[in-house]
Amino acid sequence: METLRFSVPNLHGGFAEAEGMARLDRDVLHFEYQTRDGIFGVMKSDVKDLQIPLGELTEASLELGWFKSEIVLRANSMKAFDGFPGHEAGEIRLRLSRKDRPRAQSLVSSLRLRLSELALARLRPGGDGLEG
């Protein structure tokens, strides 16, 4: 699957922001991101990588607005997004540019489909939701 660019603005009281890319593999959502100062944009962190098993996600939605669009991801544990900038109570919000809306819709649709498949697999006797 192709990657989706995102940002997480207004970190540390507006003094920092994060930029990154998200990619969905079969059972894992991959994030690569870095934070930078929100004033001049010159001080950047190293690129960080976070992999979230889909079994830890409970919901994926796309909120489209006139001035901003965001993917909202919710997890079954606050630890799922540990280390990700701007995570709050088991939820992260990924800000999108207008040109990336079609990719965002595709990613959210794929995520929802895969989450449904995992939930159905768990309902089967002996199902752990990890078989493909």
Side-chain angles (χ1 to χ4, degrees):
M1 169 156 227
E2 60 188 276
T3 58
L4 174 69
R5 294 172 43 120
F6 67 86
S7 65
V8 181
N10 301 319
L11 299 172
H12 307 296
F15 289 104
E17 59 186 24
E19 296 179 324
M21 297 167 57
R23 181 183 81 251
L24 175 63
D25 285 337
R26 181 78 180 144
D27 291 316
V28 178
L29 186 57
H30 296 270
F31 293 101
E32 289 181 6
Y33 62 92
Q34 69 181 164
T35 56
R36 65 180 178 164
D37 73 89
I39 298 172
F40 300 110
V42 283
M43 300 203 38
K44 294 182 178 180
S45 71
D46 292 334
V47 175
K48 296 179 181 161
D49 182 53
L50 178 65
Q51 298 181 22
I52 301 173
L54 294 188
E56 294 186 22
L57 295 179
T58 59
E59 185 181 340
S61 61
L62 178 60
E63 295 180 356
L64 300 175
W66 286 97
F67 300 106
K68 69 176 181 176
S69 298
E70 295 179 323
I71 290 179
V72 180
L73 301 173
R74 291 189 177 90
N76 56 18
S77 168
M78 290 175 60
K79 292 179 183 179
F81 299 128
D82 192 33
F84 194 85
H87 75 95
E88 198 172 298
E91 177 181 287
I92 58 174
R93 293 180 165 269
L94 309 174
R95 179 83 51 96
L96 310 165
S97 69
R98 184 174 292 276
K99 69 180 179 182
D100 289 325
R101 281 183 176 186
R103 281 190 193 140
Q105 289 171 326
S106 176
L107 177 68
V108 169
S109 293
S110 296
L111 268 171
R112 285 179 172 170
L113 175 62
R114 190 62 189 127
L115 290 174
S116 296
E117 290 172 347
L118 290 171
L120 286 172
R122 277 190 227 106
L123 293 174
R124 290 188 209 120
D128 62 4
L130 298 178
E131 67 270 358

